[in-house]
Amino acid sequence: MKSSIYKLTKLTIDIYNKKVSLMPEEAKLFQLNTYSRLILLNIMKGHYSGKYLSAEEIIKNIHNIYGSRASIVKCLQKAYKLNLIEKDYLELISKKTAALFSCCCAVAAISCNSKKVKEAEEFGKYLGIIFQIKDDLFDYSKNRIGKPTKEDLKTPKITLPLIYSLTNASPKEKKIIKSILRNKNFSSKNKTEINRFIEEKKGFDYAYSLMIDYKNKALEVLKNFPQNKSKESIKLLLDFAIERKY
């Protein structure tokens, strides 16, 4: 395992020092920590299979997971457009937050020689989607811990509650809300207006219902694993991800 840690460290440093060529948009989307976690996954696979991948092969695998460079740029651009649709939003978080959770679950499965790595990855993806939707809900809350409550709106990065609400709004309502969102001097009053709009359009309720849908998908995946205390704890983790207060 020491050799694995050494390889992970060296590859990460090589990428950081740009010995391995990265496009600007790739660095912007993934950042160093994203590459590190995917490198770790490959290192773990190598540790148990005896075959380690080169930095170039790892980056090629990353592109296979996330798509072409053109699709990466396109995905990035959509994240800050006021006409972002739900499909693109889910694609974006699947390639970021959900990819992290998926990777962590896969590493855990590999580390214990499990034959259900794919199932673990799938479960992690669903858990990650739930986590990110919940995190986005906090951006509309007065009790947000960490980054400022209006940070994502001020950018503005459009998230699920607002996407759903805009989709179900009249042309006149859309025009008013988008005008508010384009305001560079976004205020607490503006935030209250946005929250009221989302509540009227049931955007928060929809986000919650979608988390439940992904919870059910995750529970279906868990049926592939033996019944034990660990499995019950994992089920509780799903509930925590949905109901957490921070």
Side-chain angles (χ1 to χ4, degrees):
M1 183 58 75
K2 286 184 178 180
S3 64
S4 298
I5 299 299
Y6 171 76
K7 287 175 182 289
L8 168 64
T9 304
K10 185 177 184 305
L11 289 175
T12 304
I13 290 173
D14 284 347
I15 289 173
Y16 185 76
N17 289 332
K18 299 182 180 178
K19 291 182 180 179
V20 178
S21 178
L22 301 179
M23 296 294 287
E25 62 269 17
E26 294 172 311
K28 186 176 179 182
L29 177 60
F30 302 123
Q31 299 180 338
L32 178 62
N33 64 334
T34 308
Y35 278 103
S36 298
R37 65 180 179 252
L38 288 171
I39 289 170
L40 176 59
L41 176 58
N42 280 288
I43 292 296
M44 290 292 292
K45 286 181 177 178
H47 179 73
Y48 288 98
S49 68
K51 180 182 178 182
Y52 293 97
L53 300 179
S54 68
E56 289 79 7
E57 288 174 316
I58 289 171
I59 291 176
K60 183 178 179 181
N61 285 353
I62 290 171
H63 291 159
N64 288 338
I65 293 171
Y66 288 95
S68 67
R69 288 172 175 171
S71 69
I72 291 170
V73 175
K74 186 177 180 181
C75 198
L76 268 175
Q77 292 172 338
K78 286 181 179 179
Y80 294 92
K81 289 187 176 294
L82 296 180
N83 61 348
L84 181 68
I85 61 175
E86 184 178 322
K87 178 185 175 183
D88 293 332
Y89 165 81
L90 291 173
E91 179 187 4
L92 179 63
I93 65 175
S94 292
K95 292 180 177 180
K96 295 181 71 179
T97 307
L100 168 60
F101 279 70
S102 180
C103 178
C104 291
C105 290
V107 167
I110 293 168
S111 67
C112 62
N113 293 319
S114 173
K115 294 181 179 180
K116 298 186 181 297
V117 176
K118 290 294 182 183
E119 288 84 351
E121 285 182 314
E122 186 178 8
F123 172 84
K125 175 184 175 181
Y126 295 145
L127 177 60
I129 290 174
I130 292 170
F131 186 92
Q132 186 59 59
I133 292 174
K134 182 66 175 186
D135 215 46
D136 290 340
L137 282 170
F138 282 136
D139 290 320
Y140 301 90
S141 170
K142 294 180 180 179
N143 301 317
R144 176 64 162 144
I145 295 176
K147 62 181 178 179
T149 58
K150 63 182 180 182
E151 188 65 27
D152 275 347
L153 287 174
K154 189 177 180 180
T155 307
K157 186 177 77 175
I158 310 303
T159 53
L160 186 61
L162 188 53
I163 292 170
Y164 177 83
S165 300
L166 286 170
T167 301
N168 291 278
S170 67
K172 182 179 179 180
E173 289 172 321
K174 287 180 183 179
K175 185 176 180 180
I176 293 172
I177 295 301
K178 288 182 179 181
S179 175
I180 293 173
L181 291 170
R182 291 190 182 101
N183 185 1
K184 294 182 178 180
N185 299 313
F186 194 90
S187 65
S188 297
K189 181 181 179 181
N190 294 145
K191 183 172 185 289
T192 299
E193 290 178 276
I194 296 296
N195 282 12
R196 186 184 301 116
F197 168 72
I198 294 173
E199 286 176 359
E200 290 175 355
K201 298 299 177 182
K202 308 295 182 184
F204 297 128
D205 293 340
Y206 178 75
Y208 185 84
S209 69
L210 196 61
M211 287 192 291
I212 298 299
D213 287 345
Y214 278 104
K215 172 189 172 181
N216 291 332
K217 289 182 179 181
L219 290 174
E220 281 298 312
V221 175
L222 285 179
K223 290 180 180 180
N224 293 291
F225 295 88
Q227 185 63 41
N228 52 40
K229 289 183 178 179
S230 296
K231 184 174 179 177
E232 292 306 310
S233 296
I234 291 294
K235 289 180 180 179
L236 291 176
L237 180 60
L238 287 169
D239 290 328
F240 171 76
I242 294 172
E243 303 298 340
R244 64 193 175 97
K245 305 301 181 184
Y246 52 87

